[in-house]
Amino acid sequence: MSDDPTIRSRPDGPDARPPGARRDRTALGSALGLGVALLILIGFVALAERDVYSGPQARPSGQPPTSEGVAAASTEPASTEPSPTQPAPTQPAPTQPAPTQPAPTEPAPTEPAPTPSAGLPTDADATAFIAQYETVYGDDSRSLASDVDADGVNELVLARITDGVAMLDVARWSGEGYEVVYNDEGATADRLDSLIARDINGEPGMEIVVTQSLGETGTSLTVWGARGDRVRPQRARGGCWDGSKTYGITGAVISDQRITATCDGSPLPRADWPSDVYVWADGGWTYGRTQAGQP
């Protein structure tokens, strides 16, 4: 207890008040605290709603929030710049194959109409050529038609005497007419005795033989051979007519792969002149032996 007289005596301690006054003050403080807490809570809610719904998509006041509104508010505003548009992929237009024009066709070559002289020779063709030949060389010429080269078409074989010499001509068909393709001379002669074309040596091809005479007793023969499109003289190998295509003086015979030809037996009489015999061997007329007397 203070001795200061100014100090008035009161109940001990600050809470020395009546119990009812303490309860009233405590209830009032609690109510005020609750009110302040409620106001703070309301303020937080209001701020949250303003943040959520502030913007162009904010819901009108009084409407409950929707999930659509919340989702819209949580996205950034769309850009005002136009988004670049990618050009749609273009598929190449199907190409139609260019129409093909048919290749121009060349007209088939036209063959000239066949004429009698454009194909195989006729008898008239041969007769006309021989007549022309005789007009030039005289009626004593000789002729024959024979396929000497085995090509399926007859050749014309012709012989004549010109300037005292026997001559041979072979004419071949050209498709338009006969043309002389081979010419050669035989022996000295003043007349023609025979003209033949046949196989004598037994090999493919024909032999062409001209027999000619000079005076009363001189008779000889000249031999050619046809092989394919070639005509060549067939010359003797050895004997008295070695290297000659003409055989015999006073006579000669040719047949069956054999030639018998008289030789010059001077000074013996002509009837005693010997003859040489030739046989076909190794591709030529080859001396075989000599025999006495006439062939």
Side-chain angles (χ1 to χ4, degrees):
M1 297 295 293
S2 173
D3 292 335
D4 189 357
T6 61
I7 300 176
R8 291 174 169 80
S9 62
R10 57 187 65 180
D12 294 334
D15 292 330
R17 291 186 291 271
R22 290 196 301 268
R23 288 193 300 269
D24 293 340
R25 184 178 296 180
T26 302
L28 178 60
S30 299
L32 289 173
L34 291 173
V36 171
L38 180 61
L39 289 175
I40 293 172
L41 178 61
I42 292 172
F44 278 122
V45 172
L47 288 174
E49 289 184 356
R50 186 182 65 179
D51 292 339
V52 173
Y53 296 103
S54 63
Q57 300 297 327
R59 63 181 178 85
S61 176
Q63 294 184 358
T66 61
S67 60
E68 179 181 359
V70 173
S74 64
T75 59
E76 295 183 358
S79 174
T80 58
E81 294 183 2
S83 60
T85 58
Q86 296 293 330
T90 58
Q91 296 295 332
T95 57
Q96 296 293 332
T100 57
Q101 297 293 332
T105 57
E106 295 291 336
T110 56
E111 296 292 338
T115 60
S117 62
L120 296 177
T122 64
D123 291 343
D125 294 321
T127 300
F129 185 83
I130 292 171
Q132 183 180 6
Y133 189 88
E134 291 177 348
T135 299
V136 176
Y137 298 111
D139 295 341
D140 58 349
S141 61
R142 291 179 179 263
S143 61
L144 59 85
S146 179
D147 185 10
V148 296
D149 59 6
D151 65 351
V153 180
N154 283 341
E155 283 71 44
L156 295 180
V157 182
L158 309 108
R160 55 187 167 87
I161 300 293
T162 300
D163 299 330
V165 178
M167 304 294 297
L168 174 73
D169 296 301
V170 178
R172 181 175 288 123
W173 179 250
S174 68
E176 297 180 353
Y178 280 101
E179 297 177 357
V180 174
V181 294
Y182 183 78
N183 171 264
D184 196 9
E185 65 179 29
T188 301
D190 53 20
R191 69 178 184 272
L192 294 175
D193 297 324
S194 66
L195 171 65
I196 63 173
R198 67 171 185 263
D199 176 25
I200 297 174
N201 63 10
E203 292 187 356
M206 292 187 178
E207 277 65 57
I208 300 172
V209 181
V210 174
T211 302
Q212 58 265 323
S213 294
L214 179 63
E216 295 297 326
T217 57
T219 303
S220 63
L221 57 83
T222 307
V223 187
W224 292 267
R227 297 292 182 272
D229 60 352
R230 302 176 62 187
V231 179
R232 293 291 183 269
Q234 292 183 350
R235 301 183 182 276
R237 295 174 179 172
C240 63
W241 299 107
D242 183 39
S244 174
K245 60 187 172 187
T246 298
Y247 301 77
I249 296 178
T250 59
V253 177
I254 182 171
S255 64
D256 301 331
Q257 302 181 354
R258 183 184 299 267
I259 298 175
T260 303
T262 57
C263 302
D264 186 354
S266 300
L268 297 173
R270 286 179 176 263
D272 296 332
W273 286 3
S275 297
D276 283 354
V277 179
Y278 294 86
V279 295
W280 185 265
D282 298 328
W285 295 108
T286 304
Y287 171 77
R289 60 186 178 86
T290 300
Q291 67 180 25
Q294 295 292 324

